Amino acid sequence: MQVTETLSEGLKHEFKISVPAADLDAKAGARLVDLKDKVRLNGFRPGKVPVSHLKKVYGRSVMAETIDETIRDTNTQIFTERGFRLATEPKITMPTEKAEVEQILNGQSDLTYTVAIEIVPPIQLADFKSFAVEKPVAEVTDAEVDEAIQRIADQNRSYAAKGEGAKAEQGDRVAVNFKGTIDGTPFEGGTGENIQVVIGSKTFIPGFEDQLVGIAAGESRTVKASFPKNYLTATLAGKDAEFETTAVTIEAPQATTIDDEFAKSLGLESLDKLKEAARARLAAEFTGATRQRVKRALLDRLDETHKFEAPQSLIDEEFKLMWGSIKAEMDSSGKTFADENTTEEDAKKEYRAIADRRVRLGLVLSEIGEKNKISVTDDEVSRAVIERARSMPGREKEVWEYYRNNAQALASLRAPIYEDKVVDFILELASVTEKKVSKEELFKDDEDKTAA
């Protein structure tokens, strides 16, 4: 076998490999001998089929299998000897001319092919004990607990009918009958009877609720509103509609007394228990926000300390996914790059930089995990599936079957678990200092633009 490196540019390499026909023929012959005791052919006793006859019957298919195996083994040997870690699958270029292919399959010609690869560069990991990470921590105050309970009360408030002739105001609940049309034609889902609308809740399409202000029970009016450009029903997205609307009842919100009885209406023993539950929920939210802030700071530190050339193929793949998502979102919302105070060229440059960062951080996290034998167990993945199923009541079996039969979806659960375990490993080594902050400070930078 002869191996010649024909290209070595950065992370890209290409090799030309030539395997003698005699080597292929010897391997194919050994496979045929092994096949002799396994096949059953009419006219021959088991194990007595001449190899020459087997070659006539199976020669070409056996040679094809031999070639595939030889290429795999040869490539593995080349990459292992040079210590290469592949970024993507190797690109193999085989002979295509019919006469040449026939000669190779018949064992009359050497096999010559090329393999092009892009490798992952060696990664020199930083000393994580030198990392200093600030951990913002916010305590849940009594005022925040009271605000949370007030929000719950607002969401569960009762309504009472307003007096005869009363007009609807912001915050009132109006029961309406309506018939919608687009360009004078009724559309599916455009009709409703005794539908309750809380004015100002923004649960209906933009403009609908505001036009109910001032309406009285029994009064009819034409409400004009437009469906959002990103509306889920594509046939309605961006369309202007008119709704012939009649108010059935007008109700005003009633003040909710926050006491033990209110807590019991929510299934809790007392107001104190409701406060405990609200505090625990807020504490969990704060802990999650703290985790995100610490993780983001740590990823920024990893980015700063691990600057290297990332495989372009991985960057291109990451950018393609990101850009496709960005374009789809812009198309659905009707926004342009000008609306975002940028140009398509500048936006592409920005997202390519983000793609580069994500790829490098992914490689660094992978290197850390591999060198420190960090892995995700099947039990951890199963627990993640169970949690996902529990978050969708009534569809647990459907969710479980989806992940059980979808390896890619299962991998999407495994990846963040792995990342979190690597992050925890680094934090164990780093110097982490807690800093007391307010709720506002904790959440002010919650939008993560450059996470791995």
Side-chain angles (χ1 to χ4, degrees), residues 8 13 95 184 212 215 254 267 271 300 306 328-329 349 369 395 407 427 446:
S8 180
H13 298 265
L212 296 180
I215 199 170
Q254 303 299 295
L271 180 57
D300 287 343
H306 297 86
E329 183 178 340
K349 184 177 180 180
R395 299 179 61 191
L427 290 175
D446 202 40

Side-chain angles (χ1 to χ4, degrees), residues 114-408:
T114 62
V115 56
I117 59 171
E118 187 171 24
I119 64 171
V120 175
I123 299 174
Q124 183 65 42
L125 296 178
D127 178 8
F128 303 128
K129 292 181 180 179
S130 68
F131 282 18
V133 180
E134 188 176 82
K135 180 181 180 180
V137 178
E139 293 184 359
V140 179
T141 66
D142 291 342
E144 288 161 350
V145 171
D146 291 341
E147 289 174 6
I149 292 176
Q150 185 61 56
R151 287 193 296 271
I152 296 172
D154 291 342
Q155 293 166 2
N156 291 274
R157 67 180 9 148
S158 60
Y159 290 82
K162 299 180 79 169
E164 185 177 350
K167 306 290 187 180
E169 303 174 81
Q170 285 287 335
D172 285 351
R173 186 169 71 183
V174 184
V176 295
N177 298 334
F178 59 82
K179 292 182 179 180
T181 59
I182 295 177
D183 296 330
T185 303
F187 58 90
E188 186 176 354
T191 301
E193 291 189 1
N194 208 33
I195 304 300
Q196 293 183 333
V197 183
V198 176
I199 301 176
S201 64
K202 297 181 180 180
T203 54
F204 274 57
I205 62 175
F208 189 98
E209 295 170 15
D210 292 340
Q211 293 176 61
L212 296 180
V213 172
I215 199 170
E219 181 184 341
S220 298
R221 62 175 56 172
T222 301
V223 174
K224 297 180 179 181
S226 299
F227 287 95
K229 291 182 178 179
N230 61 344
Y231 195 67
L232 290 177
T233 304
T235 55
L236 301 179
K239 297 291 181 65
D240 296 328
E242 292 187 357
F243 298 86
E244 295 302 323
T245 307
T246 300
V248 180
T249 59
I250 310 292
E251 298 175 307
Q254 303 299 295
T256 301
T257 302
I258 300 175
D259 54 14
D260 287 342
E261 290 304 313
F262 173 66
K264 289 177 181 178
S265 72
L266 299 175
L268 295 165
E269 298 175 10
S270 63
L271 180 57
D272 286 340
K273 291 295 184 181
L274 176 58
K275 288 183 177 181
E276 287 178 15
R279 187 179 296 275
R281 182 173 179 179
L282 287 172
E285 291 177 3
F286 287 12
T287 298
T290 293
R291 170 71 178 186
Q292 288 303 313
R293 290 283 296 275
V294 169
K295 183 177 178 179
R296 192 181 319 152
L298 185 62
L299 292 176
D300 287 343
R301 191 80 176 93
L302 288 174
D303 179 40
E304 294 168 4
T305 54
H306 297 86
K307 299 294 187 183
F308 56 87
E309 180 188 2
Q312 192 60 48
S313 58
L314 296 183
I315 296 175
D316 289 344
E317 183 178 345
E318 182 67 26
F319 172 77
K320 183 179 179 182
L321 290 172
M322 293 172 60
W323 193 249
S325 177
I326 293 297
K327 289 290 288 182
E329 183 178 340
M330 293 186 72
D331 290 343
S332 66
S333 64
K335 288 185 177 180
T336 65
F337 291 104
D339 293 331
E340 301 293 330
N341 295 317
T342 187
T343 64
E344 183 170 353
E345 182 180 353
D346 288 342
K348 282 185 175 181
K349 184 177 180 180
E350 177 186 355
Y351 281 100
R352 277 203 173 276
I354 295 175
D356 176 77
R357 170 189 160 101
R358 288 186 174 181
V359 169
R360 281 187 296 104
L361 286 177
L363 292 174
V364 170
L365 293 172
S366 177
E367 183 79 5
I368 296 169
E370 185 176 329
K371 286 192 173 180
N372 294 281
K373 296 180 172 56
I374 298 171
S375 61
V376 178
T377 66
D378 290 341
D379 284 345
E380 288 171 325
V381 176
S382 294
R383 285 197 294 271
V385 174
I386 292 172
E387 289 176 11
R388 186 63 59 89
R390 284 175 176 169
S391 69
M392 302 179 73
R395 299 179 61 191
E396 291 89 349
K397 184 177 180 181
E398 178 186 343
V399 173
W400 183 265
E401 289 297 321
Y402 171 73
Y403 283 105
R404 190 171 71 89
N405 298 315
N406 191 324
Q408 188 173 357

Side-chain angles (χ1 to χ4, degrees), residues 62-78:
V62 167
M63 180 59 80
E65 293 173 1
T66 300
I67 290 172
D68 286 341
E69 182 183 81
T70 299
I71 291 174
R72 287 197 304 271
D73 293 346
T74 300
N75 289 349
T76 299
Q77 180 182 340
I78 293 171

